Amino acid sequence: MQIALKFSARAAVVLALSLGFARSPATAATAYVSNEKGNSITVIDDDKLAVTDTVKVGRRPRGIVLNKDNTQLFICAGDDDTIQILDLKTLKIVGDLPSGADPELLILSPDGALLYVANENNNLVTVIEVATRKVIEQIPVGVEPEGMALSPDGRILVNTSETTNMAHMIDTATRKIFANVLVDARPRSAQFTPDGKELWVSAEVGGTVSVISVADAKVLQKITFDIPGLAKEAIQPVGIRFSQDGAKAFVALGPANRVAVIDVASRKVAKYLLVGQRVWQLAFTPDYSHLYATNGVSNDVSVIDPASLKVVKSIPVGPFPWGVAIAP
């Protein structure tokens, strides 16, 4: 009887694999990539690792984010000074949100009610109420705001200003800056650790990632990168993402064409993964089985297996891919 049960279980596994059920439908995902010079969004099936559609949108799409229930995609159409709303069922633009001048990056509040938008040309963070599609606040920040991050509890909003070289920490209740943290030249991205205790900020020109204590807004350490055969100026940190358990950080290194894997505990680089040209932004699938990296010059995305730390696929997309968002 035990032997029969073993064979039965094995047969079930074989059958599931043969029918393509090795990955549960609950973990299936769709990636959306904004193509800055293609004025389009590329749609990728994460199961097949293949492009399924390309959607024309506004001019110079960069930052993108999903709404709370993953039915819409909010798109920063920078040269149109608006946030477009893409319906993900029909793949049609169904409206706009008032963004302020030159929206670049944006982030959604944990409850899905508010969008925070970095307006690069007028040094503001615009706060939009999604339900009413109205601007409810504009927060003055430094020169050329870009990076946007929210603490896991939603209480702290962070904006990085490229020219002022600061991370601005904003109380989301009062919408006032309570700390300005000086980092290295041209900060591009910010990301909280999953426990909310640290804020990591990449400096593209400075070539570092600053690790900031959230409790006292002090820089604890600056992580540097060294790739044999590459000049320091070619190593330009941009996008940052943490593994689900917070043990690893992945940092896109721009024209170095690599994603650095950092051990968070030691803050040391464990590995460099070779990807496409001018790697820009990063995003995990909801189940953390894949990490997508947009490569702005080679016009593709690299799909990374975080478990094996290997690049498993390169997928051609549109001209100059910039942002990436992934829906379950």
mmCIF file of all heavy atoms in Angstrom, residues 250-271:
data_model
loop_
_atom_site.group_PDB
_atom_site.id
_atom_site.type_symbol
_atom_site.label_atom_id
_atom_site.label_comp_id
_atom_site.label_asym_id
_atom_site.label_seq_id
_atom_site.Cartn_x
_atom_site.Cartn_y
_atom_site.Cartn_z
ATOM 1 N N PHE A 250 19.528 44.262 -3.863
ATOM 2 C CA PHE A 250 19.925 44.237 -5.271
ATOM 3 C C PHE A 250 19.982 45.690 -5.750
ATOM 4 O O PHE A 250 19.026 46.447 -5.561
ATOM 5 C CB PHE A 250 18.924 43.440 -6.098
ATOM 6 C CG PHE A 250 18.862 41.973 -5.734
ATOM 7 C CD1 PHE A 250 18.112 41.546 -4.638
ATOM 8 C CD2 PHE A 250 19.562 41.028 -6.467
ATOM 9 C CE1 PHE A 250 18.056 40.203 -4.288
ATOM 10 C CE2 PHE A 250 19.511 39.676 -6.127
ATOM 11 C CZ PHE A 250 18.751 39.266 -5.041
ATOM 12 N N VAL A 251 21.118 46.065 -6.353
ATOM 13 C CA VAL A 251 21.320 47.453 -6.779
ATOM 14 C C VAL A 251 21.705 47.482 -8.249
ATOM 15 O O VAL A 251 22.697 46.863 -8.658
ATOM 16 C CB VAL A 251 22.423 48.150 -5.938
ATOM 17 C CG1 VAL A 251 22.600 49.594 -6.399
ATOM 18 C CG2 VAL A 251 22.085 48.099 -4.453
ATOM 19 N N ALA A 252 20.916 48.205 -9.062
ATOM 20 C CA ALA A 252 21.234 48.380 -10.480
ATOM 21 C C ALA A 252 22.371 49.381 -10.610
ATOM 22 O O ALA A 252 22.333 50.454 -10.002
ATOM 23 C CB ALA A 252 20.004 48.875 -11.231
ATOM 24 N N LEU A 253 23.381 49.047 -11.416
ATOM 25 C CA LEU A 253 24.596 49.866 -11.493
ATOM 26 C C LEU A 253 24.753 50.592 -12.832
ATOM 27 O O LEU A 253 25.876 50.868 -13.258
ATOM 28 C CB LEU A 253 25.828 49.008 -11.202
ATOM 29 C CG LEU A 253 25.881 48.409 -9.785
ATOM 30 C CD1 LEU A 253 27.135 47.578 -9.604
ATOM 31 C CD2 LEU A 253 25.812 49.499 -8.716
ATOM 32 N N GLY A 254 23.643 50.903 -13.505
ATOM 33 C CA GLY A 254 23.683 51.753 -14.686
ATOM 34 C C GLY A 254 24.601 51.247 -15.778
ATOM 35 O O GLY A 254 24.526 50.085 -16.192
ATOM 36 N N PRO A 255 25.505 52.123 -16.285
ATOM 37 C CA PRO A 255 26.371 51.733 -17.410
ATOM 38 C C PRO A 255 27.406 50.669 -17.064
ATOM 39 O O PRO A 255 28.125 50.200 -17.950
ATOM 40 C CB PRO A 255 27.047 53.052 -17.808
ATOM 41 C CG PRO A 255 26.929 53.934 -16.618
ATOM 42 C CD PRO A 255 25.671 53.536 -15.922
ATOM 43 N N ALA A 256 27.485 50.253 -15.809
ATOM 44 C CA ALA A 256 28.331 49.109 -15.473
ATOM 45 C C ALA A 256 27.711 47.810 -15.971
ATOM 46 O O ALA A 256 28.366 46.758 -15.975
ATOM 47 C CB ALA A 256 28.550 49.030 -13.960
ATOM 48 N N ASN A 257 26.427 47.872 -16.371
ATOM 49 C CA ASN A 257 25.717 46.721 -16.936
ATOM 50 C C ASN A 257 25.658 45.535 -15.970
ATOM 51 O O ASN A 257 25.722 44.371 -16.375
ATOM 52 C CB ASN A 257 26.357 46.264 -18.261
ATOM 53 C CG ASN A 257 26.456 47.398 -19.269
ATOM 54 O OD1 ASN A 257 25.703 48.365 -19.199
ATOM 55 N ND2 ASN A 257 27.394 47.281 -20.193
ATOM 56 N N ARG A 258 25.516 45.852 -14.709
ATOM 57 C CA ARG A 258 25.479 44.818 -13.674
ATOM 58 C C ARG A 258 24.496 45.184 -12.574
ATOM 59 O O ARG A 258 24.239 46.366 -12.324
ATOM 60 C CB ARG A 258 26.868 44.602 -13.069
ATOM 61 C CG ARG A 258 27.818 43.838 -14.010
ATOM 62 C CD ARG A 258 29.253 43.969 -13.542
ATOM 63 N NE ARG A 258 30.158 43.169 -14.348
ATOM 64 C CZ ARG A 258 30.667 43.544 -15.525
ATOM 65 N NH1 ARG A 258 30.315 44.711 -16.049
ATOM 66 N NH2 ARG A 258 31.507 42.748 -16.177
ATOM 67 N N VAL A 259 23.987 44.149 -11.922
ATOM 68 C CA VAL A 259 23.211 44.305 -10.698
ATOM 69 C C VAL A 259 24.059 43.743 -9.562
ATOM 70 O O VAL A 259 24.495 42.592 -9.611
ATOM 71 C CB VAL A 259 21.858 43.570 -10.783
ATOM 72 C CG1 VAL A 259 21.159 43.559 -9.423
ATOM 73 C CG2 VAL A 259 20.968 44.217 -11.830
ATOM 74 N N ALA A 260 24.318 44.587 -8.565
ATOM 75 C CA ALA A 260 25.089 44.141 -7.401
ATOM 76 C C ALA A 260 24.165 43.441 -6.411
ATOM 77 O O ALA A 260 23.046 43.893 -6.164
ATOM 78 C CB ALA A 260 25.765 45.323 -6.734
ATOM 79 N N VAL A 261 24.650 42.341 -5.853
ATOM 80 C CA VAL A 261 23.933 41.631 -4.789
ATOM 81 C C VAL A 261 24.690 41.902 -3.495
ATOM 82 O O VAL A 261 25.864 41.578 -3.374
ATOM 83 C CB VAL A 261 23.872 40.116 -5.059
ATOM 84 C CG1 VAL A 261 23.046 39.427 -3.981
ATOM 85 C CG2 VAL A 261 23.302 39.829 -6.443
ATOM 86 N N ILE A 262 24.005 42.525 -2.527
ATOM 87 C CA ILE A 262 24.649 42.940 -1.285
ATOM 88 C C ILE A 262 24.095 42.137 -0.117
ATOM 89 O O ILE A 262 22.878 41.990 0.026
ATOM 90 C CB ILE A 262 24.432 44.443 -1.039
ATOM 91 C CG1 ILE A 262 25.016 45.258 -2.191
ATOM 92 C CG2 ILE A 262 25.049 44.883 0.287
ATOM 93 C CD1 ILE A 262 24.675 46.734 -2.130
ATOM 94 N N ASP A 263 24.990 41.621 0.724
ATOM 95 C CA ASP A 263 24.588 41.010 1.980
ATOM 96 C C ASP A 263 24.251 42.142 2.949
ATOM 97 O O ASP A 263 25.119 42.948 3.301
ATOM 98 C CB ASP A 263 25.717 40.142 2.535
ATOM 99 C CG ASP A 263 25.374 39.557 3.889
ATOM 100 O OD1 ASP A 263 24.603 38.588 3.936
ATOM 101 O OD2 ASP A 263 25.864 40.106 4.898
ATOM 102 N N VAL A 264 22.983 42.228 3.348
ATOM 103 C CA VAL A 264 22.530 43.377 4.135
ATOM 104 C C VAL A 264 23.191 43.425 5.500
ATOM 105 O O VAL A 264 23.547 44.492 6.004
ATOM 106 C CB VAL A 264 20.986 43.371 4.254
ATOM 107 C CG1 VAL A 264 20.501 44.426 5.237
ATOM 108 C CG2 VAL A 264 20.359 43.611 2.880
ATOM 109 N N ALA A 265 23.374 42.281 6.140
ATOM 110 C CA ALA A 265 23.957 42.249 7.483
ATOM 111 C C ALA A 265 25.374 42.818 7.506
ATOM 112 O O ALA A 265 25.720 43.626 8.370
ATOM 113 C CB ALA A 265 23.939 40.829 8.025
ATOM 114 N N SER A 266 26.191 42.407 6.536
ATOM 115 C CA SER A 266 27.586 42.864 6.496
ATOM 116 C C SER A 266 27.766 44.109 5.631
ATOM 117 O O SER A 266 28.788 44.771 5.698
ATOM 118 C CB SER A 266 28.487 41.756 5.954
ATOM 119 O OG SER A 266 28.179 41.484 4.586
ATOM 120 N N ARG A 267 26.738 44.393 4.808
ATOM 121 C CA ARG A 267 26.782 45.505 3.841
ATOM 122 C C ARG A 267 27.966 45.365 2.886
ATOM 123 O O ARG A 267 28.589 46.339 2.488
ATOM 124 C CB ARG A 267 26.815 46.861 4.566
ATOM 125 C CG ARG A 267 25.570 47.093 5.413
ATOM 126 C CD ARG A 267 25.549 48.448 6.058
ATOM 127 N NE ARG A 267 24.452 48.543 7.007
ATOM 128 C CZ ARG A 267 24.542 48.993 8.247
ATOM 129 N NH1 ARG A 267 25.708 49.423 8.697
ATOM 130 N NH2 ARG A 267 23.490 49.050 9.028
ATOM 131 N N LYS A 268 28.224 44.126 2.510
ATOM 132 C CA LYS A 268 29.286 43.823 1.553
ATOM 133 C C LYS A 268 28.678 43.266 0.272
ATOM 134 O O LYS A 268 27.684 42.531 0.322
ATOM 135 C CB LYS A 268 30.261 42.793 2.121
ATOM 136 C CG LYS A 268 30.938 43.217 3.420
ATOM 137 C CD LYS A 268 31.935 44.341 3.205
ATOM 138 C CE LYS A 268 32.698 44.646 4.491
ATOM 139 N NZ LYS A 268 33.616 45.805 4.323
ATOM 140 N N VAL A 269 29.304 43.582 -0.868
ATOM 141 C CA VAL A 269 28.848 43.033 -2.143
ATOM 142 C C VAL A 269 29.227 41.565 -2.212
ATOM 143 O O VAL A 269 30.405 41.202 -2.056
ATOM 144 C CB VAL A 269 29.448 43.804 -3.333
ATOM 145 C CG1 VAL A 269 29.009 43.158 -4.653
ATOM 146 C CG2 VAL A 269 29.027 45.269 -3.306
ATOM 147 N N ALA A 270 28.216 40.714 -2.421
ATOM 148 C CA ALA A 270 28.457 39.275 -2.508
ATOM 149 C C ALA A 270 28.685 38.827 -3.939
ATOM 150 O O ALA A 270 29.409 37.859 -4.189
ATOM 151 C CB ALA A 270 27.270 38.513 -1.912
ATOM 152 N N LYS A 271 28.076 39.540 -4.898
ATOM 153 C CA LYS A 271 28.157 39.107 -6.288
ATOM 154 C C LYS A 271 27.717 40.233 -7.213
ATOM 155 O O LYS A 271 26.923 41.088 -6.822
ATOM 156 C CB LYS A 271 27.257 37.874 -6.505
ATOM 157 C CG LYS A 271 27.453 37.143 -7.816
ATOM 158 C CD LYS A 271 26.659 35.837 -7.839
ATOM 159 C CE LYS A 271 26.938 35.041 -9.096
ATOM 160 N NZ LYS A 271 26.209 33.755 -9.113
#
